[in-house]
Amino acid sequence: FLKCSSLSIKENLKNLCHQLVDKGYDYKRVQIMAPMYAGINGIDNLNKELQEVFNPSDSTKNEIKYGDVIYRESDKVLQLVNMPEENIYNGDIGVIKNILKIDRKTFIYIDFDGNLVKYESKDLNKITHGFIISIHKAQGSEFELIIMPICNSYKRMLYRKLVYTGITRAKKKLILIGEPQAFIYAVNNNNEVARKTNLLERLKNNILNNG
């Protein structure tokens, strides 16, 4: 457990990953996971930071911009939707092998463990960077080394089952980084976040009003 404040998680995480790269680890052996997408320690922000650690910009690598995200060759990506016709599914992890411009169209070729799938630029909503992924997306998978930032800003998602799921994804090594009190809170919190809607009440009223 590497203790640090929530404000210094990003820099400490980047430093840790630089050390792992120097020791010969690559992003295929390491998986970083977090419970939330939003915020300075959220998945969306940290993916941009970790891209510069694991796959920095290089004149030899082609790139394509999609919204505020840059995808480049050798990026680790996560599939977001099922594409059974291509034998890839939500949660699969791949690597961008080529980005090619042909007749004013851009094609992105992603390798999913030997299954090379072609995307057009309009299909980029079907993927996201996979340097850090959600714990939910990692269910059913295992990785040699797991790194999990954990802090109080994740509080509404910190419960025992989720943390247990993240920890048990590690086959050999686990590194937690952040605030110990957030981890203790999660371990002691056995209540998952319940979605609060008035659907049940509306259904009951509908039955009463319509006999």
Side-chain angles (χ1 to χ4, degrees), residues 79 81-90 112 115 117-119 123 126-127:
Q79 180 73 15
V81 298
N82 293 332
M83 292 171 57
E85 70 280 4
E86 299 288 356
N87 196 32
I88 52 170
Y89 298 89
N90 181 10
F112 294 91
N115 179 19
V117 181
K118 181 173 75 173
Y119 295 73
D123 298 320
K126 297 177 181 178
I127 64 168

Side-chain angles (χ1 to χ4, degrees), residues 12-25:
N12 279 281
L13 180 61
K14 288 168 65 177
N15 289 338
L16 172 62
C17 289
H18 277 300
Q19 292 173 32
L20 291 171
V21 169
D22 290 342
K23 289 181 179 179
Y25 283 89

Side-chain angles (χ1 to χ4, degrees), residues 136 156 159-162 189-195:
H136 285 297
R156 68 185 181 87
Y159 51 91
R160 186 185 304 170
K161 184 178 177 182
L162 187 72
N189 180 18
N190 206 24
N191 299 312
E192 294 186 33
V193 176
R195 291 189 178 182

Side-chain angles (χ1 to χ4, degrees), residues 35-155:
M36 290 177 62
Y37 285 88
I40 59 169
N41 294 317
I43 293 165
D44 291 336
N45 185 52
L46 291 179
N47 256 321
K48 293 178 182 178
E49 300 288 339
L50 292 169
Q51 181 187 35
E52 296 309 312
V53 175
F54 287 110
N55 190 32
S57 180
D58 185 318
S59 60
T60 66
K61 299 172 188 171
N62 293 324
E63 298 181 347
I64 182 171
K65 190 169 185 180
Y66 184 78
D68 63 344
V69 178
I70 294 173
Y71 291 102
R72 67 175 59 107
E73 291 173 344
S74 296
D75 270 352
K76 182 179 186 177
V77 294
L78 176 75
Q79 180 73 15
L80 298 175
V81 298
N82 293 332
M83 292 171 57
E85 70 280 4
E86 299 288 356
N87 196 32
I88 52 170
Y89 298 89
N90 181 10
D92 286 351
I93 291 175
V95 176
I96 297 177
K97 301 303 284 186
N98 298 104
I99 299 174
L100 303 174
K101 289 184 179 180
I102 304 172
D103 296 332
R104 296 185 180 180
K105 279 191 173 184
T106 301
F107 297 97
I108 303 95
Y109 293 86
I110 303 177
D111 181 10
F112 294 91
D113 287 327
N115 179 19
L116 194 64
V117 181
K118 181 173 75 173
Y119 295 73
E120 294 184 32
S121 54
K122 64 180 176 62
D123 298 320
L124 289 175
N125 62 335
K126 297 177 181 178
I127 64 168
T128 188
H129 276 126
F131 299 106
I132 178 170
I133 65 175
S134 74
I135 297 171
H136 285 297
K137 291 284 188 186
Q139 289 187 70
S141 301
E142 287 186 322
F143 305 91
E144 181 177 339
L145 170 58
I146 291 291
I147 303 172
M148 279 176 51
I150 189 162
C151 58
N152 288 317
S153 59
Y154 296 152
K155 198 162 188 177

